[in-house]
Amino acid sequence: NLFQTLASHRNLEDKNNLLLSLSAMYELFNEIDNLQQKKYKSSAEKNKLYPAFKYIQEHFADEVITNVALAKMCNLSERRFITLFKDIYGATPNQYIMHKKISLAETLLSSKIYSIRQISEMCGFSDIYYFSKAFKKVMNTTPSEYRKNI
């Protein structure tokens, strides 16, 4: 929008156009500055979440991971942890963990070495029916249909 405003006021000999163009330029610089500050803030906040992120990477398929435990690792309240995690990674911790599990399941299904029950267990699902339901919710197909179509 700012670029369109600038383009529409390209006749800078008209004082009104010049002032409107300058205003749009200042607004553009302000937006760039805000993006840079957000990027820096995200990086600093991402570092706060690193202990939990690392733990998730190493243990997502091994055990049930609670938001309370993850928040404690980062010295944050549960609510603040979830909000910050979602802001940085675009999903809640539980959604992120579920996507990690489903991604692993995709890889294991593609290998065709393990049964769907074994894959369910390897991905940290205690119930094959819950695994199938979760897989279908994320992938829009069942594990057996997915395996058949690869």
Side-chain angles (χ1 to χ4, degrees):
N1 289 339
L2 291 173
F3 288 116
Q4 288 175 341
T5 301
L6 284 169
S8 69
H9 301 297
R10 61 183 167 262
N11 179 6
L12 298 179
E13 292 175 14
D14 181 350
K15 272 197 172 191
N16 282 338
N17 283 350
L18 179 63
L19 292 174
L20 290 170
S21 294
L22 284 173
S23 175
M25 288 293 291
Y26 285 126
E27 195 174 338
L28 178 63
F29 292 143
N30 187 46
E31 285 296 316
I32 291 169
D33 185 50
N34 287 341
L35 288 171
Q36 283 300 104
Q37 287 181 17
K38 185 177 180 183
K39 185 177 177 182
Y40 173 76
K41 183 180 176 188
S42 294
S43 175
E45 290 178 333
K46 201 173 193 177
N47 288 338
K48 281 184 192 175
L49 296 180
Y50 182 73
F53 181 78
K54 183 178 180 205
Y55 189 83
I56 290 170
Q57 299 307 312
E58 295 171 357
H59 300 281
F60 72 92
D62 302 340
E63 58 192 75
V64 175
I65 303 172
T66 66
N67 290 329
V68 172
L70 294 171
K72 198 176 281 189
M73 290 175 198
C74 301
N75 295 318
L76 296 169
S77 71
E78 181 181 6
R79 181 181 204 123
R80 178 70 182 132
F81 171 75
I82 293 169
T83 301
L84 194 55
F85 195 97
K86 189 170 184 181
D87 287 348
I88 292 173
Y89 296 106
T92 66
N94 291 335
Q95 291 168 334
Y96 184 83
I97 290 167
M98 182 60 69
H99 282 276
K100 294 281 297 169
K101 289 180 177 192
I102 299 302
S103 179
L104 175 60
E106 282 183 275
T107 302
L108 294 171
L109 285 165
S110 298
S111 73
K112 299 184 180 182
I113 297 171
Y114 305 102
S115 71
I116 292 175
R117 182 176 299 283
Q118 289 172 314
I119 292 170
S120 169
E121 292 169 2
M122 293 167 78
C123 294
F125 293 93
S126 57
D127 181 331
I128 191 170
Y129 300 106
Y130 178 61
F131 166 65
S132 293
K133 183 178 175 182
F135 192 91
K136 184 168 184 161
K137 184 177 181 182
V138 174
M139 300 299 295
N140 294 322
T141 186
T142 66
S144 55
E145 289 170 346
Y146 180 85
R147 175 175 267 172
K148 211 183 305 178
N149 293 324
I150 53 172

